[in-house]
Amino acid sequence: MNRNDLPPLMPPPGELPPDAPRGFMARFRNYFLTGLIVAGPIAITFYLTWWFVTWVDGLVRPFVPVAYRPETYLPFGLPGSGLIVAVVALTLLGFLTANLIGRTLVDLGERLLGRMPVVRAIYRGLKQVFETLFSGQGSSFRRVGLVEFPSPGMWSIVLISQSPSVEIAASLPGQDEHISVFLPCAPNPTTGFFFYVPKSKLIEVEMSAEDAATLIMSCGVVQPGSDTQKKIAALTETANAARAANAASLKPVPAKVD
């Protein structure tokens, strides 16, 4: 047997022939989708940030005297100046509230609001919500769970809140211990359903509230906890193997010479 009778050696992956040229529309589509993936999240992030800054500026600017506004001395407005004023004012308010005089004034204002029938309920509810969310001491909405909703066999992600009060717990049927949960709606997690569910029917999962919000806003497209790099590596290996197999099958085999 001579060397001509041996089958051709498969070239290494680095020496594989290049892919066949694709059409202009296919290239255009791939380039456009790549640019959309790169620019889309950046553009939306900048838009939401700009909207928030301009919204705060519109709220704060009427309270700032004209002599202290940047547009009084500049030929153009300075975005974010109202946000800076709001941050400084809130920090100063927190500093003043921490001393004895500030606490006295706050208590006086709370007693005044507590005597107003309609305003009292709104203020107390909002104060409890803000204290729970921003104090960093509570555990509301920091745990994620699954409940069987809206029908048996279908499971929804919920944010676990606090146990019901004694009055509500006494009115709930059954002997099981209940807990309050919030079920966000997709793709807007700020809306949803609030209800009490027995603890025995709640499955707590190891997931952060941020990952749950990402999962809900993406409608399941982005799955938290998935290793993207491993998926990309597996797809790359599959594509390289298919490319090598196609190159080997298309390469002509030299005819035998007697």
Side-chain angles (χ1 to χ4, degrees):
M1 178 183 293
N2 53 21
R3 288 187 67 175
N4 294 332
D5 295 333
L6 296 176
L9 297 176
M10 181 178 294
E15 300 179 4
L16 291 177
D19 294 335
R22 293 175 293 180
F24 171 77
M25 293 305 299
R27 294 181 180 178
F28 178 81
R29 174 180 175 274
N30 291 338
Y31 293 155
F32 174 78
L33 293 179
T34 303
L36 183 63
I37 293 173
V38 173
I42 298 176
I44 295 176
T45 303
F46 273 101
Y47 172 77
L48 294 178
T49 305
W50 179 263
W51 171 83
F52 177 75
V53 170
T54 53
W55 177 69
V56 175
D57 285 348
L59 292 178
V60 177
R61 186 176 290 109
F63 300 97
V64 179
V66 179
Y68 296 99
R69 297 180 185 178
E71 56 267 21
T72 305
Y73 308 97
L74 298 176
F76 54 86
L78 187 62
S81 59
L83 181 61
I84 297 175
V85 173
V87 171
V88 173
L90 292 176
T91 305
L92 182 62
L93 178 62
F95 171 75
L96 295 177
T97 307
N99 55 44
L100 180 60
I101 299 177
R103 288 197 298 269
T104 304
L105 294 177
V106 171
D107 293 338
L108 180 62
E110 288 183 347
R111 286 197 297 267
L112 180 61
L113 292 175
R115 296 182 179 180
M116 301 180 182
V118 179
V119 179
R120 175 178 55 193
I122 299 175
Y123 173 74
R124 288 181 178 177
L126 291 176
K127 182 182 178 182
Q128 292 177 359
V129 170
F130 273 74
E131 288 179 349
T132 303
L133 294 178
F134 298 104
S135 64
Q137 300 176 356
S139 59
S140 296
F141 299 150
R142 289 181 173 84
R143 294 181 296 160
V144 182
L146 294 172
V147 295
E148 205 168 11
F149 182 87
S151 61
M154 302 176 66
W155 296 85
S156 299
I157 293 180
V158 295
L159 300 178
I160 302 174
S161 186
Q162 300 291 338
S163 300
S165 62
V166 179
E167 295 79 5
I168 296 179
S171 302
L172 292 173
Q175 301 297 327
D176 294 340
E177 183 181 0
H178 289 72
I179 192 169
S180 57
V181 297
F182 175 70
L183 193 155
C185 292
N188 183 11
T190 59
T191 61
F193 303 94
F194 172 80
F195 52 88
Y196 296 100
V197 61
K199 278 191 173 181
S200 58
K201 297 184 179 180
L202 174 68
I203 302 176
E204 190 169 351
V205 296
E206 293 294 334
M207 180 186 297
S208 63
E210 291 79 7
D211 291 340
T214 302
L215 178 63
I216 293 170
M217 286 188 292
S218 65
C219 299
V221 175
V222 179
Q223 294 290 334
S226 59
D227 196 341
T228 307
Q229 298 297 331
K230 290 183 179 180
K231 289 184 177 181
I232 294 176
L235 291 175
T236 304
E237 292 180 0
T238 304
N240 290 336
R243 183 179 175 185
N246 292 334
S249 61
L250 294 177
K251 189 171 182 179
V253 179
K256 291 184 179 181
V257 179
D258 295 335

